[in-house]
């Protein structure tokens, strides 16, 4: 059976979740839900990154132990997923002992394979990024280009990972797999970093204690990025098999590794697109298929992040407008893969004009007309060929977009049909046809076409708007979510029933 494995980055527990984190989780959930609709065995992983300097520093600033801060904030990230209606199959914490054991065994193998040596590192380091900076990445005044804080000069005896040994193999990988990293600009960025010449990087930290112990030298912990990246692999060794999987078929690693998609933000490209494949090569582990890099959600032109302090609270947005609206808005407003601004004003505009007016009204008036003119029952028969032609190939092209993680383009392709259906209502004016004698069959066909068109868009929109689409499909008496029967065709909707308003005005809103 085809498997689909999608991951989000694991989030730092040095502060609370914000909209930037919600964004990646929502995107991954859309992909996971869609692939479940295809009947595939889907594994969707998210979780928390708990070791390293940023977490240790944040805990000490609060006067508590890193473990206590990690426990506290990991729960907030764990709680975020269901609040976003994310259907993740597992939530990994890098302090899970099972994860730590896998990190130790994989990185010991990297050492046995000859890719680890002892050395001294000296360079500029950003404690917030937990990253050593190349000279080219440093802002004037020795400042971090992301956090704007002054970098520290670090000198440390470390074990090094022989990244330079993978120069050629990485270049070959990029040549062979032009869709290993997408969008193309990010592929080019990663490849030019590789071509600029790879230098060996620290694999361990001597000065830190908050991390996974290096099994061959207890004075060291692994550099947090190596520990963190391995979550994508380690989780499969101890996560329970999802209920939807066919019985038998081996353990999860055999069933779903390699990952189909790692979704990440553009700030962590180099770790995923360069270090991660090199590390996997060094450990003789198969490489992931795709890394998709999304942009930043911007407010007033700056990246939202906990360290900059200009945070828009996803919990508040959900409280006021519901999860579906948040999911829809983020993937509609900001082309997935690019940066884009978000604001309350544009959120409210889309909620009103697109969700309430375009989809909500289409649904309520279609159901109401079938109730009024046909007592809620639709006689069997053909669909309007002209409208059917406008739906031709929709499911196939929608799937092709999702295959490339083009979540905004896929959504737009369905939304065009939502608009087409609204125009269809205006063109056909069923309220006039209902008054004209001898046109009973015409009215049947119009209402049938409308109901079936609505069903098709609803099935495709379900990953974006799960609650609203389930309510709507219930109203259409067609609960089936499988994509097999998603294409427009007669015979799915035979009777309808009234549903509550899908996108009510804010006072009553909550999906
Ligand atoms: N812990 C690392 C990831 C390790 S993955 C093996 C990390 N954590 S993070 O919490 O700082 O960020 C996680 C993700 O959230 C990153 O991909 C980052 O780009 C994303 N976002 C944080 N702020 C963002 C926006 N304002 N907009 C969109 N996503 C951004 O990095």
């Amino acid at each position: 059976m085809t498997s689909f494995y999608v991951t989000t980055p694991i989030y730092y527990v040095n502060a609370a979740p914000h909209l930037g984190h919600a964004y990646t989780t929502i995107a991954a959930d859309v992909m996971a839900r869609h692939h479940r609709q295809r009947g595939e065995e889907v594994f969707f992983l998210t979780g928390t990154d708990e070791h390293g300097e940023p977490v240790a520093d944040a805990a000490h600033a609060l006067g508590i132990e890193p473990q206590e801060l990690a426990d506290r904030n990991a729960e907030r990230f764990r709680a975020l997923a269901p609040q976003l209606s994310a259907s993740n199959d597992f939530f990994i914490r890098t302090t899970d002992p099972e994860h730590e054991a896998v990190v130790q065994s994989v990185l010991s193998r990297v050492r046995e394979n000859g890719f680890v040596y002892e050395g001294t590192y000296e360079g500029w380091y950003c404690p917030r990024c937990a990253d050593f900076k190349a000279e080219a990445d440093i802002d004037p005044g020795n400042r971090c280009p992301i956090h704007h804080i002054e970098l520290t000069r670090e000198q440390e005896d470390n074990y090094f990972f022989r990244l330079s040994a993978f120069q050629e193999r990485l270049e070959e990988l990029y040549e062979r797999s032009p869709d290993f990293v997408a969008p193309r600009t990010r592929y080019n960025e990663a490849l030019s970093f590789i071509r600029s010449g790879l230098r060996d990087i620290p694999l361990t930290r001597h000065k830190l204690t908050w991390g996974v112990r290096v099994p061959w030298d207890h004075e060291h912990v692994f550099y947090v990025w190596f520990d963190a990246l391995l979550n994508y692999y380690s989780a499969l060794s101890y996560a329970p098999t999802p209920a939807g999987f066919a019985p038998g078929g081996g353990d999860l690693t055999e069933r779903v590794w390699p990952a189909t998609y790692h979704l990440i933000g553009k700030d962590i490209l180099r770790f995923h697109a360069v270090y991660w494949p090199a590390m996997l090569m060094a450990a003789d582990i198969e490489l992931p298929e795709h890394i998709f890099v999304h942009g930043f959600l911007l407010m007033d032109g700056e990246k939202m992040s906990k360290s900059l302090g200009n945070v828009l609270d996803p919990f508040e947005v959900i409280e006021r407008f519901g999860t579906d609206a948040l999911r829809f808005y983020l993937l509609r407003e900001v082309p997935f893969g690019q940066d884009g601004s978000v604001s309350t004003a544009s959120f409210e505009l889309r909620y009103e004009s697109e969700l309430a007016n375009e989809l909500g009204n289409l649904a309520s008036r279609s159901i109401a007309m079938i109730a009024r003119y046909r007592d809620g029952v639709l006689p069997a028969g053909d669909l309007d060929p002209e409208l059917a032609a406008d739906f031709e190939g929709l499911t196939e092209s929608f799937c092709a977009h999702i295959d490339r993680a083009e979540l905004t383009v896929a959504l737009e392709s369905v939304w065009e049909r939502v608009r087409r259906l609204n125009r269809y209502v205006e063109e056909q004016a069923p309220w006039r046809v209902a008054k004209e004698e001898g046109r009973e069959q015409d009215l049947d066909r119009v209402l049938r076409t409308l109901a079936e068109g609505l069903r098709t868009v609803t099935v495709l929109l379900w990953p974006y708007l799960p609650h609203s689409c389930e309510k709507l499909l219930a109203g259409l008496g067609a609960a089936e979510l499988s994509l097999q029967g998603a294409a427009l065709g007669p015979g799915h909707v035979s009777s309808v029933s009234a549903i509550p308003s899908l996108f009510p005005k804010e006072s009553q809103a909550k999906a």
Side-chain angles (χ1 to χ4, degrees):
M1 179 173 295
T2 312
S3 72
F4 181 82
Y5 177 21
V6 63
T7 66
T8 71
I10 46 171
Y11 305 117
Y12 282 134
V13 287
N14 53 346
H18 63 68
L19 201 65
H21 306 124
Y23 184 47
T24 325
T25 300
I26 288 170
D29 189 58
V30 167
M31 294 176 82
R33 284 177 184 265
H34 169 84
H35 280 272
R36 290 195 195 102
Q37 285 184 286
R38 291 193 194 182
E40 297 172 6
E41 288 190 334
V42 171
F43 195 75
F44 167 18
L45 180 70
T46 187
T48 41
D49 186 356
E50 307 191 3
H51 292 128
E53 210 157 4
V55 176
D57 286 352
H60 293 139
L62 293 170
I64 57 175
E65 286 304 310
Q67 185 68 57
E68 195 183 335
L69 181 68
D71 289 346
R72 195 188 289 171
N73 279 336
E75 284 320 304
R76 301 170 78 176
F77 279 99
R78 193 196 295 278
L80 177 68
Q83 279 174 292
L84 301 170
S85 305
S87 59
N88 54 301
D89 295 289
F90 191 58
F91 186 91
I92 188 168
R93 298 183 54 183
T94 53
T95 49
D96 290 343
E98 298 92 334
H99 164 78
E100 296 191 359
V102 173
V103 170
Q104 291 177 325
S105 88
V106 171
L107 294 176
S108 295
R109 191 153 76 234
V110 169
R111 180 167 172 258
E112 282 149 26
N113 286 348
F115 298 111
V116 176
Y117 64 92
E118 274 184 272
T120 304
Y121 189 87
E122 198 189 332
W124 295 104
Y125 181 82
C126 171
R128 297 265 186 85
C129 291
D131 190 16
F132 290 97
K133 301 280 166 188
E135 294 293 335
D137 290 338
I138 299 175
D139 270 4
N142 280 327
R143 286 179 182 275
C144 168
I146 298 166
H147 296 99
H148 313 309
I149 57 166
E150 234 179 283
L151 301 174
T152 54
R153 192 78 188 165
E154 295 278 338
Q155 197 197 33
E156 210 175 85
D157 292 335
N158 293 320
Y159 290 92
F160 276 71
F161 172 55
R162 213 180 281 284
L163 180 64
S164 57
F166 296 91
Q167 174 87 35
E168 260 174 43
R169 285 177 67 184
L170 286 172
E171 284 183 28
E172 278 162 26
L173 163 72
Y174 275 72
E175 187 123 331
R176 199 174 58 237
S177 317
D179 54 2
F180 179 62
V181 175
R184 197 68 190 173
T185 46
R186 301 299 167 202
Y187 169 96
N188 291 335
E189 193 181 324
L191 182 56
S192 77
F193 177 79
I194 296 166
R195 285 195 177 137
S196 72
L198 295 177
R199 290 193 309 179
D200 297 342
I201 46 172
L203 174 74
T204 68
R205 301 293 314 273
H206 196 180
K207 288 186 185 156
L208 282 185
T209 51
W210 179 238
V212 178
R213 288 236 168 278
V214 172
W216 63 85
D217 185 340
H218 285 193
E219 303 244 303
H220 288 249
V221 296
F222 285 111
Y223 176 41
V224 63
W225 270 98
F226 288 91
D227 157 9
L229 286 161
L230 276 166
N231 90 88
Y232 302 133
Y233 182 71
S234 70
L236 301 180
S237 68
Y238 66 102
T241 303
F245 278 38
D251 71 13
L252 273 179
T253 311
E254 282 167 40
R255 291 178 91 147
V256 307
W257 188 263
T260 322
Y261 264 103
H262 292 311
L263 300 188
I264 61 165
K266 65 179 183 178
D267 53 338
I268 53 177
L269 174 68
R270 189 165 22 104
F271 300 101
H272 285 81
V274 183
Y275 301 175
W276 177 225
M279 194 200 321
L280 290 171
M281 287 171 182
D284 306 315
I285 298 173
E286 221 180 317
L287 305 187
E289 289 171 30
H290 308 284
I291 296 164
F292 187 89
V293 188
H294 65 68
F296 283 151
L297 301 180
L298 307 170
M299 293 184 70
D300 304 326
E302 275 253 46
K303 173 196 168 197
M304 264 184 309
S305 83
K306 49 209 166 200
S307 14
L308 293 173
N310 57 343
V311 171
L312 182 73
D313 185 357
F315 298 104
E316 195 187 317
V317 177
I318 292 166
E319 180 59 32
R320 289 177 60 197
F321 295 94
T323 350
D324 278 12
L326 176 69
R327 296 166 64 103
F328 174 83
Y329 171 73
L330 293 180
L331 292 168
R332 182 110 174 108
E333 182 74 16
V334 181
F336 195 58
Q338 296 171 34
D339 289 350
S341 294
V342 293
S343 68
T344 316
S346 71
F347 182 100
E348 286 174 8
L349 194 67
R350 283 208 190 264
Y351 183 85
E352 189 68 32
S353 66
E354 298 190 328
L355 288 179
N357 290 347
E358 293 182 343
L359 182 59
N361 280 352
L362 174 69
S364 58
R365 79 208 280 220
S366 302
I367 289 176
M369 286 190 291
I370 297 167
R372 184 171 329 128
Y373 303 128
R374 290 294 179 262
D375 269 339
V377 179
L378 279 173
D382 294 337
L383 303 186
D384 189 326
E386 218 178 293
L387 194 286
D390 288 336
F391 273 65
E392 199 60 47
L394 171 63
T395 308
E396 293 75 8
S397 73
F398 180 83
C399 289
H401 288 306
I402 302 264
D403 279 339
R404 295 193 292 270
E406 293 165 354
L407 304 186
T408 306
V409 184
L411 177 54
E412 171 60 21
S413 72
V414 189
W415 213 258
E416 275 170 19
R417 274 40 174 226
V418 169
R419 291 182 172 153
R420 176 70 190 97
L421 289 168
N422 275 314
R423 283 201 309 278
Y424 185 70
V425 176
E426 296 305 318
E427 286 160 16
Q428 301 297 325
W431 48 91
R432 270 208 302 276
V433 183
K435 288 190 196 135
E436 291 170 15
E437 231 162 276
R439 293 200 60 196
E440 286 76 15
Q441 291 196 355
D442 289 344
L443 183 59
D444 284 343
R445 193 172 56 249
V446 170
L447 295 177
R448 199 159 45 229
T449 304
L450 206 50
E452 295 292 357
L454 191 54
R455 186 196 74 90
T456 291
V457 296
T458 309
V459 171
L460 295 177
L461 286 173
W462 175 73
Y464 297 84
L465 295 161
H467 297 288
S468 318
C469 290
E470 281 165 25
K471 280 189 221 160
L472 180 46
L473 287 174
L476 296 173
E480 184 56 52
L481 284 169
S482 149
L483 283 187
Q484 254 175 347
L488 183 68
H492 298 280
V493 183
S494 53
S495 66
V496 302
S497 50
I499 54 166
S501 169
L502 293 177
F503 305 102
K505 297 272 180 257
E506 197 192 329
S507 57
Q508 318 134 40
K510 235 186 256 177

